[in-house]
Amino acid sequence: MAAPMIEQFPKGKLNNCWHYIELCKFVHPELTETIDRLRDTLIRYTLVKPWPLPPDGGPECFLVRFLTKEQNDFFFYYGLATASKRG
């Protein structure tokens, strides 16, 4: 099994990417199950930095541990959604 790759997303970027990926479910409903599984994987394997959170602030970034398939799916759906939005 391949070692997980770690992608770092600054505050707000992961959320923005995920909004685009969610759009794929409306344009391509047949992808709903796959995208929902990807969401569950992201929730399970994303680390918040710094941890524990400081009392006066939120996270600075998110570290996502991807296996190759999940990383490919994430960026494929993100690209598909951004291309669909551009029309």
Side-chain angles (χ1 to χ4, degrees):
M1 188 160 140
M5 292 158 275
I6 297 177
E7 291 278 342
Q8 181 173 329
F9 294 91
K11 184 177 178 180
K13 178 68 174 173
L14 183 59
N15 196 35
N16 289 340
C17 290
W18 191 253
H19 284 297
Y20 280 111
I21 292 171
E22 284 283 316
L23 288 175
C24 285
K25 293 186 342 185
F26 297 105
V27 177
H28 303 283
E30 69 277 7
L31 298 175
T32 298
E33 186 177 326
T34 306
I35 291 171
D36 288 344
R37 263 196 318 265
L38 179 61
R39 180 197 61 229
D40 294 343
T41 301
L42 283 176
I43 291 169
R44 190 174 298 123
Y45 296 113
T46 298
L47 303 171
V48 178
K49 293 293 180 180
W51 190 260
L53 293 174
D56 59 341
E60 294 174 9
C61 69
F62 297 89
L63 300 176
V64 181
R65 294 182 319 180
F66 285 114
L67 293 176
T68 303
K69 182 184 180 335
E70 285 83 12
Q71 185 180 37
N72 291 341
D73 287 349
F74 181 88
F75 288 108
F76 173 77
Y77 296 137
Y78 178 66
L80 181 64
T82 55
S84 298
K85 184 180 177 203
R86 291 181 189 144

